[in-house]
């Protein structure tokens, strides 16, 4: 609702790149807690973040999220602590992440990628792809997120 729109506004103007003042920090914490979104004010997120159906979203503070990304209820963007994929995800521009999807480890998600609901992603995903399942199945598709990305900024 209205509260979620206020929370998203904090990211739409790329405010994280500038010095963050006390009022911004207070508003961020308030709306983050109200919408049950576990994320840090230091998370690097591009302009145009859109969170549809908030609640139970976890984003690792070291993750990087590109411009015009959509994140839905129950999504986890997390860290892997050992092995080949030790680290956190880097997510490109215009990525749509479906309900209850998990992206984990030092993986790179390309631009124009649609991650279907309930997918588990622990591998690199090239640009212009649709991903689904566990283990993830990757299908190339030009304009994979066409008509899916909400409230784009230019």
């Amino acid at each position: 609702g209205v509260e979620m729109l206020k929370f998203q506004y904090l990211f739409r103007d790329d405010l994280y790149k500038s010095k963050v003042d006390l009022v911004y920090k207070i508003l961020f914490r308030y709306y983050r807690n109200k919408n049950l979104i576990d994320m840090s004010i230091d998370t690097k997120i591009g302009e145009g973040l859109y969170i549809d159906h908030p609640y139970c979203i976890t984003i690792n503070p070291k993750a990087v999220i590109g411009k015009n990304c959509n994140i839905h209820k129950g999504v986890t963007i997390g860290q892997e602590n050992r092995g080949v994929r030790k680290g956190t995800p880097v997510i490109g521009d215009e990525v749509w992440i479906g309900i209850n999807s998990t992206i984990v480890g030092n993986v790179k998600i390309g631009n124009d990628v649609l991650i279907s609901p309930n997918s588990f992603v622990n591998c690199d995903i090239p640009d212009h792809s649709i991903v689904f399942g566990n283990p993830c199945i990757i299908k190339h598709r030009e304009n994979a997120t066409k008509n899916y990305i909400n409230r784009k900024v230019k």
Side-chain angles (χ1 to χ4, degrees):
V2 173
E3 298 298 325
M4 191 60 224
L5 290 173
K6 289 177 185 176
F7 177 78
Q8 290 178 61
Y9 177 76
L10 296 176
F11 287 103
R12 294 190 71 79
D13 291 322
D14 210 15
L15 290 174
Y16 69 86
K17 288 183 180 175
S18 64
K19 290 185 179 178
V20 180
D21 62 7
L22 182 60
V23 173
Y24 175 73
K25 286 182 180 181
I26 292 168
L27 287 172
F28 176 85
R29 286 186 184 132
Y30 173 77
Y31 289 116
R32 176 190 64 190
N33 294 339
K34 184 169 182 62
N35 291 290
L36 301 175
I37 298 173
D38 182 13
M39 67 184 289
S40 169
I41 199 165
D42 298 320
T43 304
K44 293 181 181 169
I45 299 176
E47 297 173 297
L49 174 68
Y50 178 74
I51 299 175
D52 192 24
H53 304 291
Y55 309 111
C56 303
I57 294 172
T58 302
I59 300 173
N60 186 285
K62 295 179 183 174
V64 176
I65 299 173
K67 186 175 177 179
N68 290 321
C69 289
N70 289 191
I71 299 174
H72 295 81
K73 182 179 181 178
V75 166
T76 299
I77 300 172
Q79 174 175 313
E80 197 162 308
N81 294 322
R82 59 186 163 271
V84 182
R85 290 182 295 271
K86 182 178 178 179
T88 53
V90 174
I91 298 171
D93 298 338
E94 297 193 24
V95 175
W96 188 92
I97 306 171
I99 294 171
N100 295 327
S101 293
T102 298
I103 305 168
V104 66
N106 183 17
V107 297
K108 291 185 179 18
I109 309 299
N111 299 321
D112 183 37
V113 171
L114 188 145
I115 300 173
S116 298
N118 299 311
S119 295
F120 179 77
V121 180
N122 67 346
C123 61
D124 291 344
I125 308 297
D127 293 349
H128 313 293
S129 297
I130 296 177
V131 181
F132 56 95
N134 178 11
C136 59
I137 298 167
I138 304 166
K139 300 286 185 181
H140 175 78
R141 180 177 174 128
E142 292 297 322
N143 299 312
T145 59
K146 184 177 181 182
N147 299 323
Y148 276 84
I149 302 295
N150 292 295
R151 300 190 179 134
K152 283 186 189 182
V153 295
K154 298 202 183 230

